[in-house]
Amino acid sequence: MEKLSEQELVRRQKLASLVEKGIDPFGQRFDRTHNTKMIKDEFSNFSKEELHDNPSPTISTAGRIMTKRGKGKAGFAHIMDQYGQIQIYVRMDVVGDEDFELFNNADLGDIVGVEGTVMITNTGELSIRVTKLTHLAKSLRPLPEKFHGLTNIEERYRRRYVDLITNEKSRETFITRSKIISMFRELLNDRGYLEVETPILHPILGGANAKPFVTHHNALDMPFYLRIAPELYLKRLIVGGFDGVYEIGRNFRNEGISIKHNPEFTMMELYQAYGNIDTMMELTQYLFSTVAKRLGKDTVEYNEKTIDFGTWHKVHMADAVKSELGIDFWDTEMTFEKAKAFAESKELEVPDHFTGTGHILNLLFEEYCEETIVQPTFVYGHPIEISPLAKKNIDDPRFTDRFELFIDGREYGNAFTELNDPIDQRERFEEQIKEKELGNDEASEMDYDFVEALEYGMPPAGGLGIGIDRLVMLLTESVSIRDVLLFPHMKPRSN
RNA sequence: GACCCGCUAGCUCAGUUGGCAGAGCAUUUGACUUUUAAUCAAAGGGUCAGAGGUUCAAAUCCUCUGCGGGUCACCA
C-alpha cells in the first residue's frame, strides 16, 4: 500500500463521512437538461434584471468542481464539463442545511450535479442559483493548481486525463483532431469512396519502406508483422472491383521516437480506380484546403511561418535539385558514378544498396531541398529506384508518376499512379530483395499473392496516403506529435 | 542510439559562496449570504528522482542509474 498524502487522507475521511450519511460517494445516473454550453447559448442574451424578474425554468447540469469560494452561509464554485465552466451560487437558505454541508465539504475535483435557475451576479457572470446539489463522484486526489494547471510535460503525457481536466488548449486540440478525422470521412464518403478495414497483422512486409514490429500468433505458430502500410491490401480491393476505397487507421514502424514520430501513427490511405497522380493531387488539395477552411484556418502560423492553404506549388524533384545544386538529373548522360561522385563531393554518405542515379537524386533532394519548402508543394517525379509500387512515367521511365506533399519542410502526403503491371511489379519486388541483400533493412519483401492479384487485372488507379497526426499538428499549431496523441508512448515510470 | 539540459510539498516554482528545507495555490481550523486567481487570521504538509562518493557539513560538488525534454541520426 502506497503512502497517502495529507490531502488524500482528508479526502478519504470525507468519503467515509458521505457513506455515513447514506450518500453513495461514486453516485448514480444523473439526468441533465443542459450542458454548460447550452446554458450559455440559451441565457447569455438576458440581462441580470430580466433573469431576476422572470426566473428561468429549473435546469440541471453536472460537472467537476474546479474552483470554490466559501462566504460563510453562501458560496460560489465553478463546475466544468466538456464544453467549459459555469459558476454555481449556493446559499444555505435556498438549498437547506444538508445540501449546504455537502457543498462545504466538497473538494476541488469532486463531480456534482446541480438543479437551479439561471442568474447573473453583480460582477456580470452567468451563474446557476442552486436549489438542489447532488454529490456524484468523490475525487480522492487533489487537482493541480487552478491557475497554472498541469504544465510538467512528462506528467501531461503520462496522466493525460489530468491534462484534459486542467488544460483547455489540450482539450481543444483533441476535439479538433476528432473533427478533422470525421471531416475526412465526410468529404470522402460524399465523393463516393468506400471506407474499408484491412488486416493489421501482415504475414509479408510491404507497402512502404520501414522497419517493422514483429509479433507471433500462437495458434498458427507463425510470426506476423504489425502493418507498416495497408497499401497492398487496399489495391487488392481495386482489383476486386471497388471504384474507390479508403482506410483511416494505425500503422506501426519500429523506428525512433521524436517530435514528429510515434511508433504507431494514423494514416489515411486511399485508392481510386481509373485515377492517376493528377486526380490524387486535386483530391489532396481539396481535402487540405476544405478541412482548413472549415476549421476557420485559411492560413496557419506554424513554426514562425505563415502557411497559406490557398497557395499550392508543383515542382519536379529533378528540377528542385537542379535549381538548388546545379546538377541535372534530366541529363541522359547522367551516370550512377557521376551522381555518386557529386554526392560524395558534398560529403554525403552513399550506402551500398544505392545502385541507381535515382537513389542519389532522392538523397540530394532530402538533404538540400526538403527543408527549403514552406508553402504546400507537390514534389513529383520520384525516381523509380525508391518507388517500387508506382507506375513509370510514360515519357521517361527513370521517373515515376509519384508526388509527395511538403509543407514547411515536412512530408504530409505521398501519392502515385499505381503500378498495375504485374510483370513490372514482380521485377520491382526483385529489386527490393536485392536491396535487402545489400543491407537495406527497410526494403520490402516479395508478395506473390499481390502480384497474382495484379495478374487478374487492376484498372489504372491513383493512390494517396496522408499522415493524419502531422496534419492535426499543423492545424492545431502543435509543436510535438505527442501533443496530438492522447496517449503517446513513454517508458514505464521508474519506482 | 549519441550529445546537451532538467527532476525540490498534491500543483507551479525559489533556494546566493557547500552551513537550520522556502513561497504561492491547494489542505486543515476560525470569520464572512453576489464572490471570481475571493479576502482575513492561524496551522499542518518534504525519500530535494534513486544509489554511491568528497566533506566537519551536500538540494547544492563528483560518479553511476532511472525518467523526461531538446538537438542530431532514422523515418511519415
Side-chain angles (χ1 to χ4, degrees):
Chain A
M1 185 69 189
E2 67 208 294
K3 216 164 85 185
L4 295 178
S5 70
E6 181 196 20
Q7 296 193 53
E8 287 173 308
L9 288 170
V10 167
R11 283 166 184 250
R12 275 171 161 76
Q13 283 159 15
K14 288 181 177 175
L15 178 142
S17 84
L18 284 172
V19 173
E20 271 173 37
K21 287 177 202 148
I23 295 168
D24 182 351
F26 299 104
Q28 300 293 333
R29 164 176 173 168
F30 184 82
D31 293 324
R32 295 174 290 170
T33 60
H34 290 66
N35 61 44
T36 57
K37 182 173 185 298
M38 290 159 71
I39 296 169
K40 286 169 191 168
D41 288 347
E42 203 169 314
F43 296 103
S44 50
N45 287 331
F46 292 97
S47 70
K48 177 168 154 60
E49 291 71 29
E50 283 169 333
L51 285 171
H52 185 264
D53 297 341
N54 299 298
S56 77
T58 295
I59 59 149
S60 64
T61 193
R64 189 185 294 277
I65 298 175
M66 300 302 290
T67 62
K68 200 173 148 221
R69 297 169 289 283
K71 292 277 295 173
K73 294 191 173 65
F76 291 89
H78 278 100
I79 61 172
M80 185 178 79
D81 65 13
Q82 180 184 323
Y83 306 95
Q85 299 195 3
I86 188 116
Q87 181 170 256
I88 61 172
Y89 176 44
V90 184
R91 291 173 62 110
M92 189 157 83
D93 59 4
V94 174
V95 297
D97 291 358
E98 265 177 44
D99 278 11
F100 195 72
E101 195 194 343
L102 203 60
F103 176 75
N104 266 341
N105 288 329
D107 285 310
L108 300 188
D110 286 0
I111 294 167
V112 295
V114 296
E115 267 178 41
T117 54
V118 179
M119 60 170 276
I120 291 175
T121 63
N122 285 346
T123 50
E125 182 166 346
L126 194 72
S127 306
I128 302 170
R129 185 184 171 94
V130 176
T131 51
K132 185 166 186 291
L133 184 77
T134 308
H135 173 88
L136 293 176
K138 188 69 201 162
S139 171
L140 294 177
R141 288 173 185 259
L143 287 177
E145 199 216 352
K146 62 187 169 188
F147 192 61
H148 296 94
L150 187 66
T151 63
N152 182 296
I153 294 172
E154 179 174 355
E155 295 303 323
R156 287 184 48 221
Y157 297 153
R158 287 195 192 278
R159 290 185 292 174
R160 181 66 87 185
Y161 42 89
V162 179
D163 178 43
L164 291 169
I165 291 166
T166 59
N167 297 323
E168 194 183 348
K169 169 83 178 99
S170 180
R171 214 156 51 238
E172 276 171 9
T173 293
F174 291 106
I175 290 169
T176 302
R177 181 182 176 117
S178 176
K179 282 183 186 161
I180 290 169
I181 290 171
S182 57
M183 275 188 255
F184 262 68
R185 288 209 161 90
E186 190 189 329
L187 296 173
L188 294 173
N189 292 344
D190 284 352
R191 284 198 170 193
Y193 293 99
L194 196 67
E195 181 171 11
V196 297
E197 292 167 282
T198 64
I200 285 173
L201 297 176
H202 285 189
I204 295 168
L205 194 64
N209 290 336
K211 293 180 198 115
F213 287 93
V214 183
T215 186
H216 184 263
H217 189 287
N218 290 344
L220 297 176
D221 189 23
M222 62 174 284
F224 277 95
Y225 300 112
L226 299 188
R227 72 176 176 198
I228 56 172
E231 172 149 357
L232 300 183
Y233 285 94
L234 291 171
K235 283 200 276 203
R236 283 173 171 93
L237 298 178
I238 299 299
V239 172
F242 290 122
D243 256 0
V245 295
Y246 73 94
E247 179 165 9
I248 295 174
R250 220 64 68 79
N251 289 344
F252 305 84
R253 299 191 183 175
N254 206 341
E255 287 155 1
I257 295 179
S258 80
I259 203 163
K260 308 184 267 194
H261 299 90
N262 196 63
E264 52 184 297
F265 64 100
T266 301
M267 284 270 287
M268 191 288 295
E269 220 171 273
L270 171 146
Y271 294 85
Q272 165 75 65
Y274 311 111
N276 72 356
I277 181 176
D278 297 312
T279 53
M280 292 303 103
M281 238 180 246
E282 185 278 329
L283 179 64
T284 304
Q285 188 169 342
Y286 169 72
L287 290 171
F288 274 61
S289 50
T290 305
V291 168
K293 194 175 210 68
R294 288 195 187 175
L295 291 173
K297 302 197 172 204
D298 292 335
T299 64
V300 147
E301 295 299 318
Y302 198 67
N303 232 344
E304 294 167 2
K305 299 178 193 93
T306 303
I307 308 300
D308 181 358
F309 292 105
T311 314
W312 292 70
H313 304 278
K314 231 174 115 168
V315 61
H316 193 284
M317 188 183 278
D319 290 331
V321 167
K322 190 177 170 188
S323 70
E324 194 69 32
L325 295 166
I327 183 169
D328 186 3
F329 280 83
W330 289 111
D331 184 355
T332 49
E333 308 287 296
M334 177 62 67
T335 61
F336 175 65
E337 285 67 30
K338 265 198 223 169
K340 185 179 176 186
F342 182 86
E344 283 170 347
S345 77
K346 295 277 179 190
E347 293 182 3
L348 295 175
E349 198 180 318
V350 178
D352 288 346
H353 61 267
F354 277 25
T355 51
T357 55
H359 284 124
I360 308 290
L361 170 59
N362 185 245
L363 178 69
L364 294 172
F365 173 78
E366 286 180 352
E367 210 61 40
Y368 292 100
C369 304
E370 235 177 65
E371 63 188 21
T372 66
I373 297 170
V374 177
Q375 297 305 326
T377 302
F378 295 116
V379 176
Y380 68 99
H382 293 58
I384 189 165
E385 292 91 337
I386 61 154
S387 311
L389 301 166
K391 204 176 177 86
K392 285 173 199 163
N393 181 268
I394 195 162
D395 297 318
D396 191 336
R398 296 175 298 172
F399 303 109
T400 60
D401 289 332
R402 172 182 177 190
F403 74 76
E404 287 178 300
L405 170 63
F406 285 93
I407 303 171
D408 189 29
R410 286 185 190 171
E411 187 190 336
Y412 285 80
N414 181 20
F416 32 90
T417 303
E418 300 300 331
L419 175 56
N420 64 339
D421 174 345
I423 297 160
D424 190 357
Q425 183 65 76
R426 177 188 284 263
E427 287 167 9
R428 305 278 194 99
F429 278 137
E430 281 162 358
E431 284 302 315
Q432 286 291 304
I433 289 161
K434 275 186 209 159
E435 283 203 23
K436 192 152 228 167
E437 285 163 0
L438 287 171
N440 182 0
D441 55 5
E442 292 179 357
S444 51
E445 299 177 346
M446 172 65 79
D447 191 336
Y448 288 110
D449 184 77
F450 176 66
V451 172
E452 189 177 318
L454 292 186
E455 285 171 358
Y456 282 90
M458 182 173 95
L464 167 67
I466 290 173
I468 297 290
D469 310 282
R470 287 192 179 175
L471 177 60
V472 174
M473 286 168 68
L474 183 63
L475 291 174
T476 58
E477 286 145 42
S478 300
V479 175
S480 168
I481 194 170
R482 295 187 191 94
D483 294 325
V484 302
L485 297 167
L486 281 167
F487 300 102
H489 286 289
M490 308 276 275
K491 281 198 185 182
R493 198 194 294 268
S494 64
N495 47 327

